[in-house]
Amino acid sequence: MKFGVPLGLVHPGIWLDLAREADRLGFESVWMPEHLVFATDLSTANYPGTSSPGIVPATPIHDAPSYLCALAAVTERVRLGTAVYLFGLRHPFITARAFATLDHISNGRAIVGVGSGWYEGEWLAAGVDFGTRGKRLDEAIEVARRLWTEETIEHHGVFFDFPEVAFEPKPVQSPLPVVVGGESTAALRRAARCDGWISMPQTLDGVRSQLDRLRAFREEAGRSDEPFEVTAHAYELSGPDEIAEWDKLGVDRLIVRPWRRTREAVGKLAEFAAEYGLRT
């Protein structure tokens, strides 16, 4: 089992220290959340399944690929992912360039975690139709993957249209992995067509039905025999014995949070590494 660390659940002031410690302790990956902008109007900010705003407009936001490049410079082994990046909110030239750069600076440690997004306010602020976000994401992924692998490409789609262009340098990884977050039917179908899936915070019992649906969608897409990586956010592990149960379900990576407060995060990470047998 691989273990990841969610940087979004601590204050940004300790991201560098936490990433360094994760790298030293043998954690496999660190993950950054992503938004482009927060509107002060909270009428569109209710998080799905709740009646409360899912954002605080004054929350500090960093550009995820840029910040992960900084983390790449102070780490050696840990992989650097987004959970998740609003890939469809920008032109694919911008996103493809950002993640290709991250992959080069990190020497092949980038993971492109993407999602369609739930917060309408930032799409309205950016002047992009929120209702088309899923289809925009699908087309943006298609374009980026071609930019990353083909010598030249020309594209005439619904949302993006451009003449033949060249895109260099290509990412170090081939393919550069694209993993999809979310648990809606559309998100699971999208993940089934890509290189992996990232769950919402889950338990063993809760994740089973989603994995069953994901397997069915992969078979439907004719990709059941292709490489695929399942990542689950599992914040409330009961102990090391539970890991075998996640493994049996086909989960490859657990994103864990062994702390409650920012000030204890670095120390608790070391305790988790010792308890769960991570190797430095």
Side-chain angles (χ1 to χ4, degrees):
M1 181 64 65
K2 295 178 282 193
F3 292 99
V5 177
L7 297 178
L9 297 182
V10 294
H11 190 277
I14 74 159
W15 282 357
L16 283 172
D17 290 339
L18 199 61
R20 287 192 190 102
E21 189 71 349
D23 191 48
R24 184 185 72 82
L25 292 168
F27 284 83
E28 180 263 349
S29 52
V30 296
W31 299 80
M32 272 190 67
E34 195 272 331
H35 281 283
L36 183 59
V37 71
F38 291 145
T40 56
D41 177 5
L42 297 180
S43 63
T44 64
N46 285 359
Y47 192 75
T50 76
S51 59
S52 303
I55 61 101
V56 176
T59 300
I61 305 172
H62 296 282
D63 181 75
S66 297
Y67 204 101
L68 289 172
C69 283
L71 297 185
V74 298
T75 57
E76 295 179 357
R77 296 173 296 181
V78 71
R79 303 200 69 191
L80 306 159
T82 48
V84 291
Y85 191 85
L86 298 176
F87 209 84
L89 188 55
R90 291 92 161 171
H91 194 286
F93 288 168
I94 297 170
T95 48
R97 182 68 68 199
F99 282 98
T101 299
L102 172 60
D103 205 47
H104 269 271
I105 287 177
S106 66
N107 194 27
R109 290 187 278 146
I111 306 174
V112 187
V114 305
S116 61
W118 61 270
Y119 169 46
E120 186 176 3
E122 64 189 320
W123 293 76
L124 293 173
V128 183
D129 182 9
F130 182 70
T132 64
R133 66 194 185 282
K135 291 179 179 179
R136 288 180 67 91
L137 174 57
D138 290 336
E139 188 173 333
I141 292 171
E142 175 192 350
V143 170
R145 291 180 120 172
R146 292 187 63 200
L147 290 168
W148 291 331
T149 57
E150 298 179 20
E151 183 176 349
T152 60
I153 86 162
E154 179 178 343
H155 181 81
H156 304 287
V158 175
F159 303 104
F160 309 107
D161 189 289
F162 53 87
E164 185 176 80
V165 298
F167 184 95
E168 296 293 342
K170 305 302 184 191
V172 173
Q173 298 177 88
S174 183
L176 180 54
V178 176
V179 299
V180 177
E183 299 190 358
S184 67
T185 296
L188 291 172
R189 286 187 183 277
R190 184 173 296 114
R193 299 191 298 268
C194 291
D195 306 308
W197 174 65
I198 307 173
S199 81
M200 304 293 284
Q202 274 290 4
T203 62
L204 279 167
D205 289 337
V207 80
R208 284 188 172 92
S209 62
Q210 304 290 25
L211 292 175
D212 289 341
R213 297 171 68 203
L214 185 60
R215 277 189 287 270
F217 292 145
R218 291 189 66 212
E219 290 177 4
E220 182 181 286
R223 301 200 61 192
S224 57
D225 294 328
E226 297 183 19
F228 192 83
E229 195 165 62
V230 174
T231 300
H233 283 83
Y235 297 154
E236 305 294 336
L237 293 175
S238 61
D241 291 344
E242 187 179 321
I243 302 305
E245 298 303 313
W246 289 95
D247 186 61
K248 288 178 184 177
L249 291 177
V251 174
D252 303 288
R253 177 190 295 112
L254 295 176
I255 298 178
V256 299
R257 183 198 60 186
W259 63 82
R260 293 291 182 179
R261 298 174 179 84
T262 290
R263 64 176 177 268
E264 64 183 23
V266 173
K268 290 293 185 181
L269 207 63
E271 291 178 15
F272 182 97
E275 182 180 4
Y276 285 78
L278 275 67
R279 294 179 295 176
T280 58

